[in-house]
Amino acid sequence: MRVLLVGAGGVGTAITRIAARRPFFEAMVVADFVPARAEAAVAALGDRGARFLAERVDAGDEEAVAALLERHRCDVLLNATDPRFVMPLFRAARNAGATYLDMAMSLSRPHPERPYAQCGVKLGDEQFAQADDWARADALALVGMGVEPGLSDVFARYAADELFDEIEEIGVRDGANLTVDGYDFAPSFSIWTTIEECLNPPVVWEAGRGWFTTEPFSEPEVFDFPEGIGPVECVHVEHEEVLLMPRWIDARRVTFKYGLGREFVETLRTLRLLGLDRTDPVTVPSASGPVAVSPRDVVAACLPDPATLGDRMHGKTCAGTWVRGVKDGAPRKVYLYHVVDNQWSMAEYGCQAVVWQTAVNPVVALELLATGVWRGVGVLGPEAFPARPFLDLLTGYGSPWGLREQ
């Protein structure tokens, strides 16, 4: 397997450090719009970097990406950029005949008249619209293969296959007790992506009704997270799992709730109130004259890069899937989860916990594809594949998962 990794930010860099310890691939080309970032990611691998090469590429330039795939004979494109670049990279992989993986799916657009009741364009709709083309070409696009979405979807498939006879509800619940020294507000993940998923209308799935939307941050609940994290208030947030799971898993309801904390929620609401969540450029004065900038990009530029916060960060992050249903005629509730301690991820990989937890899952998926354990054609989510081999290999990577009866 020869891999083109597009994006050498926090998650992309963590992917290189995890993959460098595994023998399943022949080469990995690390490409970024900023050549120095790709070069730094490769240089940091030291003696483990012989199979890695740094390149420059504009993720929005489909022809350039396809040419890079062909020049380096890469048979897989792994997308580690933000969701704005999903579709050009998705199309570039198809045009070059490469397998495609991402960790976030094509962007949604709210319903123009009833945004908090009906879906408009849903997450992943643009990709699933091309599923037949991928299937006819005998090609695979594995979408939403990070931690959430990704591992959370694998947990749902495992629950359906091995833990339940009937599933009433699947609820992804994400929480952490992470703190960052020296910052009153410092998101542990891309603020661009965080604004996108938190301020868009959240989606819920119900059997007989299908997909529908609700108000951002609605239906707050306190969820008790394992391994010392404890109770965190969680709220509805738009996320890919709700759009993926019902396609392959029979459940009567699917939700996603994120443990943001009230202060974080109020900050996001303020950004929306001020129009700073917008992506359309606005014209502002500068020393060189008027310049068009995206307000959201300005917010991102004013905040610290999450990938650089690891040495100031303390605590744990938890991704997991809560499932309620029936097994052998009796009601059952379980929480399948994966916890990463920032102290461990920094000591072991030099990566903060949230980006490491996101990065490990596509590497595990790549290894399963390389060895033929996972195989398929079309546009598929993680729950389209058997879960047990993934969970066993994740444990083999030194990062075990847990199951708690509720």
Side-chain angles (χ1 to χ4, degrees), residues 13 89 171 253 265 364 396:
T13 296
L89 292 173
R253 179 176 166 88
V265 168
V364 172

Side-chain angles (χ1 to χ4, degrees), residues 120-137:
V121 175
K122 302 187 299 300
L123 291 168
D125 274 358
E126 289 186 79
Q127 291 171 286
F128 281 116
Q130 299 182 29
D132 289 345
D133 292 339
W134 283 77
R136 282 193 295 269

Side-chain angles (χ1 to χ4, degrees), residues 156-294:
R157 173 66 187 263
Y158 177 76
D161 287 350
E162 302 196 28
L163 303 180
F164 290 87
D165 299 321
E166 299 176 28
I167 293 178
E168 292 286 338
E169 182 173 358
I170 302 173
V172 180
R173 300 293 183 265
D174 178 300
N177 62 358
L178 294 168
T179 59
V180 182
D181 293 341
Y183 290 97
D184 294 326
F185 183 77
S188 59
F189 201 69
S190 162
I191 188 62
W192 200 101
T193 303
T194 301
I195 290 172
E196 180 73 18
E197 64 189 22
C198 291
L199 293 179
N200 276 348
V203 181
V204 176
W205 159 270
E206 289 183 359
R209 184 176 178 182
W211 288 292
F212 62 94
T213 57
T214 184
E215 295 275 349
F217 314 123
S218 56
E219 294 186 21
E221 67 175 66
V222 175
F223 192 87
D224 187 18
F225 289 92
E227 298 194 21
I229 295 174
V232 179
E233 185 177 86
C234 299
V235 292
H236 278 302
V237 167
E238 180 191 49
H239 234 252
E240 286 90 343
E241 290 94 326
V242 179
L243 288 311
L244 285 169
M245 290 176 184
R247 297 175 188 269
W248 288 280
I249 296 173
D250 186 11
R252 293 182 176 87
R253 179 176 166 88
V254 182
T255 62
F256 180 97
K257 290 187 179 182
Y258 199 0
L260 294 169
R262 293 187 181 181
E263 182 181 359
F264 200 105
V265 168
E266 290 308 313
T267 300
L268 291 173
R269 283 178 169 152
T270 300
L271 291 176
R272 165 149 289 181
L273 181 67
L274 297 175
L276 295 174
D277 63 317
R278 293 168 51 192
T279 57
D280 295 334
V282 298
T283 301
V284 298
S286 77
S288 304
V291 60
V293 296
S294 157

Side-chain angles (χ1 to χ4, degrees), residues 156 159 164 167 169-171 321-325 332-336:
F164 290 87
I167 293 178
E169 182 173 358
I170 302 173
T321 303
W322 172 84
V323 187
R324 174 173 61 89
R332 188 181 193 186
K333 298 178 185 178
V334 302
Y335 183 59
L336 300 108

Side-chain angles (χ1 to χ4, degrees), residues 339-359:
V339 171
V340 177
D341 187 322
N342 188 74
Q343 184 177 0
W344 174 84
S345 64
M346 285 297 297
E348 186 70 14
Y349 287 90
C351 299
Q352 57 104 316
V354 177
V355 298
W356 190 91
Q357 189 181 46
T358 304

Side-chain angles (χ1 to χ4, degrees), residues 6 9 40 42 62-63 116 144 196 241 262 265 301 320 346 376 394 402:
V6 183
V42 172
E62 295 175 33
E63 292 184 1
Y116 304 125
E196 180 73 18
E241 290 94 326
R262 293 187 181 181
V265 168
M346 285 297 297
L394 179 65

